[in-house]
């Protein structure tokens, strides 16, 4: 630990954070975010790897869309990344061929901001799970009984199921008890579901508070903290929409999260809700292990543990221009990010160039990694 | 095997059949059926034990209704029986106390002819399954993803789940694969789902064909036969409604089945779809073992294997006055039923008196059983 005497602050070094669940909105909605702004906001938040969700436009679900997304990412990303393949009604027999090139497969079992809903059809769910080669996880957006149903299918066909953004008592109860019974599965929770509940809706605004899964009750929030030992990772579910869109008559669901997640979680460390060791486990070690991601050589972040600040209305780098955490007091700030030996972010400034980021599942990444080791 | 030379028929002796799934409609709808007519129609079909479902009026879900049903049954039943307790939104903490007096617990997860729906609330499902002592099975009416969800809960809390009236490919696929993976569960299929499909609807009539689960396609029907080895038992789901009701603008779902089940299944034996040994397994041995029922001493039925007949419009004893199998040619007929040493049915006539039937879970039954052994 380095102590910076000039400001009486305590600077600690952490490994590069990994966020397996972000929406970068490109292709299709670059007014909300793109591979450039999205990976810049990731670096500003201390993340050196992100997993990009496939509910773009076009959705990432076949050769053409996967190649398009790969080339957009290759030319614009500033941090390392993986790309998810989306499960659809039409690609049950072909999604599996992306298993080793994709970050994983994403299945949307609920209505959400997605062109990829697999609503109610258990035969399609079963086909996808049976056909997935299983080298990387199957990530599911599933509530309540759909969660129970999909976990059974994963267990039956011995696949690794990863539950996205656990939000309510009913889901964490099932996940905890399934783990206790010996089921191999993993799950993530987002900082907003660990920080906000329905009591925050008046402050944030009704339309602005729309997010899927919805903000829970205080009981839901407490259930997540009570079962934090059963939660494998923190993932932001960074889902930017512009302030104008969030103020419209039909506000789309989703919050930005990349720049605010670590400060919010460090504040929880200060409040004694989680240890810094557990935080590193949930924001680096577990995502790397569970998603079978490569370690990044010469990569770390520096965090000022003591700096107190108020979250401003606008993130520095996300194109969305707002955050539901506006006005919250937090303690802890990312001051520097070093990615594969290069300073990528320092003192609020992005240094990494567009295109510096690499696809974690690519051959190119292996070559670069070996060069550095 | 006895051969009756006078008619060139072949009479064989089988153990008393057990039907774990019947609706006797009393209390509440004795114009459709009651404990007297329902157990008479059971004996006429070769059944010496039946399990009465709790979706009566009042529903069987607490002390008062369970005691009411017990006393109605004690005074009127002509064959032996068990009584199910129904799971409701309000008895999650109290249903379990009936575990050793009831045949089992029934959970309705779908809309059906029932005042007992537990639709969509996985928390209530979970509470019921966690709280059930587990000495007898939890029987579920559940389709598609609800079936997958409830099986996960049963597995998590190590309870014996029994799936009622499997009807479609999607459910038998799940059950087969869960069994292959090592899950302990059991299931039943009804003779109507093994005999009829949507192609029979014009013959039967649209309203008359209403049943839950609905008649499947030919593919569904074939899937049931293809997976017959994974089906533990045949149960009639005898669900009588009057002909007038079935012809009304809102026909209630359900078919009578007790008098026609064995003839239909014996016809399947003749057609080479199932062996007589497997049939006895699925209509006697497995229900006894799986529901932990007592054997009935000095009890057997005599069946004329070769008698060919056409199913008439009206069952002999069911009060409902119709059958969807009207006009079907079958081969095989019950000629005699001996229950606990007494002739209960012979040559089309019920001999057993009202009140001769005993509750299989009662102390009285144990005493009677010991007397006969
Ligand atoms: Zn989601
Ligand atoms: Zn939920
Ligand atoms: Zn998401
Ligand atoms: Zn590491
Ligand atoms: Zn049913
Ligand atoms: Zn079905
Ligand atoms: Zn039924
Ligand atoms: Zn026996």
């Amino acid at each position: 630990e380095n102590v910076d005497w000039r400001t009486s602050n305590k600077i600690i070094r952490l490994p590069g954070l990994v966020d397996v669940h972000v929406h970068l909105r490109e292709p299709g909605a670059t007014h909300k975010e793109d591979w450039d702004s999205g990976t810049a906001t990731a670096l500003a938040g201390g993340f050196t790897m992100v997993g990009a969700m496939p509910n773009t436009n076009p959705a990432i679900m076949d050769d053409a869309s996967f190649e398009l997304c790969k080339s957009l990412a290759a030319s614009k990303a500033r941090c390392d990344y993986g790309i998810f393949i989306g499960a659809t009604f039409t690609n049950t027999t072909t999604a599996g061929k992306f298993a080793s090139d994709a970050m994983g497969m994403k299945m949307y079992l609920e209505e959400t901001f997605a062109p990829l809903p697999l609503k109610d059809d258990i035969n399609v769910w079963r086909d996808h799970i049976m056909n997935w080669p299983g080298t990387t996880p199957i990530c599911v957006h599933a509530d309540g009984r759909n969660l129970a149903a999909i976990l059974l299918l994963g267990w039956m066909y011995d696949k690794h199921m990863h539950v996205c953004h656990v939000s309510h008592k009913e889901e964490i109860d099932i996940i905890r008890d399934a783990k206790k019974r010996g089921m191999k599965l993993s799950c993530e929770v987002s900082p907003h579901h660990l920080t906000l509940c329905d009591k925050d809706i008046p402050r944030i605004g009704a339309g602005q508070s729309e997010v899927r899964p919805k903000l829970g009750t205080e009981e839901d929030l407490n259930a997540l903290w009570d079962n934090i030992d059963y939660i494998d990772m923190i993932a932001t579910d960074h889902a930017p929409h512009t302030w104008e869109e969030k103020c419209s008559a039909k506000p789309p669901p989703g919050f930005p999260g990349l720049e605010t997640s670590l400060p919010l979680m460090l504040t929880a460390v200060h409040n004694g809700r989680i240890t810094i060791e557990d935080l590193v486990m949930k924001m680096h070690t577990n995502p790397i292990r569970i998603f079978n991601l490569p370690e990044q050589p010469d990569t770390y972040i520096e965090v000022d543990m003591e700096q107190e600040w108020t979250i401003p209305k606008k993130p520095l780098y996300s194109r969305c221009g707002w955050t539901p955490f506006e006005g919250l007091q937090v303690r802890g700030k990312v001051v520097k990010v070093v990615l594969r030996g290069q300073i990528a972010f320092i003192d609020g400034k992005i240094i990494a160039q567009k295109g510096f980021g690499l696809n974690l599942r690519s051959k190119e990444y292996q070559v670069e990694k070996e060069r550095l080791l």
Side-chain angles (χ1 to χ4, degrees), chain A:
Chain A
E1 290 187 6
N2 301 318
V3 175
D4 181 337
W5 293 103
R6 287 167 304 170
T7 56
S8 306
N9 286 348
K10 194 173 101 175
I11 307 287
I12 65 166
R13 187 179 280 201
L14 301 176
L17 304 182
V18 180
D19 186 353
V20 301
H21 189 152
V22 303
H23 299 269
L24 300 185
R25 302 306 188 201
E26 188 178 16
T30 52
H31 67 287
K32 298 174 197 273
E33 203 79 284
D34 72 359
W35 275 94
D36 175 358
S37 66
T39 51
T41 200
L43 287 169
F47 293 94
T48 54
M49 287 190 203
V50 295
M53 285 293 158
N55 62 332
T56 47
N57 187 3
I60 310 307
M61 39 94 57
D62 58 14
D63 279 314
S65 51
F66 196 74
E67 289 304 319
L68 169 66
C69 193
K70 268 166 73 174
S71 76
L72 287 166
S75 65
K76 297 171 87 171
R78 296 174 192 262
C79 73
D80 295 342
Y81 57 86
I83 298 170
F84 280 92
I85 188 85
T88 72
F89 280 107
T90 57
N91 70 357
T92 52
T93 58
T94 53
K97 74 176 181 181
F98 298 94
S100 40
D101 292 334
M103 182 91 168
M105 178 167 68
K106 177 70 182 277
M107 296 181 74
Y108 289 92
L109 310 186
E110 311 292 339
E111 298 271 23
T112 180
F113 188 74
L116 294 168
L118 292 177
K119 232 171 118 50
D120 297 3
D121 192 333
I122 196 167
N123 287 314
V124 172
W125 303 357
R126 180 169 166 268
D127 286 345
H128 268 300
I129 289 175
M130 287 177 74
N131 294 340
W132 185 247
T135 41
T136 49
I138 299 170
C139 300
V140 294
H141 182 137
D143 297 338
R145 70 203 158 117
N146 285 348
L147 175 62
I150 200 82
L151 290 182
L152 182 89
L153 295 176
W155 175 81
M156 273 165 56
Y157 304 112
D158 206 15
K159 300 296 157 73
H160 180 124
M161 305 302 285
H162 175 78
V163 184
C164 295
H165 45 50
V166 182
S167 325
H168 304 123
K169 184 174 186 307
E170 67 179 8
E171 287 96 13
I172 193 64
D173 280 348
I174 290 170
I175 290 167
R176 179 197 59 231
D177 290 350
K179 285 187 169 198
K180 282 187 179 175
R181 181 75 161 83
M183 185 179 281
K184 281 181 205 123
L185 78 158
S186 59
C187 71
E188 67 187 43
V189 65
S190 70
H192 56 266
H193 288 120
L194 284 173
T195 309
L196 305 174
C197 72
D198 54 8
K199 289 189 176 166
D200 295 287
I201 294 177
R203 177 178 59 75
I204 301 168
Q208 292 80 358
S209 301
E210 284 296 339
V211 66
R212 295 293 174 279
K214 284 177 187 290
L215 294 180
T217 62
E218 206 161 22
E219 192 197 1
D220 289 317
L221 191 152
N222 291 335
L224 295 178
W225 280 109
D226 289 346
N227 293 291
I228 195 81
D229 289 347
Y230 295 94
I231 294 169
D232 300 279
M233 60 187 89
I234 311 283
T236 64
D237 195 8
H238 178 80
H241 299 287
T242 66
W243 178 241
E244 203 168 41
E245 289 166 335
K246 293 297 282 186
C247 295
S248 70
K250 277 199 167 183
F255 295 159
L258 282 164
E259 290 184 40
T260 47
S261 286
L262 183 62
L264 288 165
M265 296 312 299
L266 290 174
T267 305
V269 170
H270 284 296
N271 293 339
R273 300 201 94 167
I274 188 169
T275 65
I276 188 81
E277 290 77 17
D278 280 351
L279 198 61
V280 169
M281 195 74 87
K282 291 181 204 303
M283 298 184 83
H284 170 81
T285 321
N286 285 348
I288 292 226
R289 176 178 55 79
I290 289 168
F291 279 76
N292 192 24
L293 298 167
E295 286 282 356
Q296 295 166 300
D298 281 337
T299 298
Y300 60 88
I301 69 176
E302 285 181 3
V303 171
D304 180 342
M305 285 298 284
E306 299 305 328
Q307 191 169 328
E308 295 188 61
W309 53 294
T310 303
I311 294 177
K313 171 155 184 143
K314 296 192 182 192
L316 283 174
Y317 292 97
S318 174
R319 215 164 265 175
C320 69
W322 78 288
T323 165
F325 303 108
E326 178 187 358
L328 294 197
Q329 280 279 117
V330 287
R331 189 166 163 199
K333 195 161 198 176
V334 179
V335 291
K336 187 172 162 187
V337 175
V338 174
L339 172 54
R340 290 186 272 103
Q342 311 282 315
I343 293 178
F345 173 82
I346 189 163
D347 292 335
K349 296 233 148 45
I350 298 290
I351 310 296
Q353 295 298 304
K354 283 169 68 168
F356 179 69
L358 293 176
N359 186 332
L360 296 158
R361 299 281 194 230
S362 65
K363 215 169 254 165
E364 198 188 355
Y365 190 86
Q366 286 309 317
V367 172
E368 177 63 12
K369 198 179 156 183
E370 266 153 50
R371 195 181 65 79
L372 285 169
L373 286 174

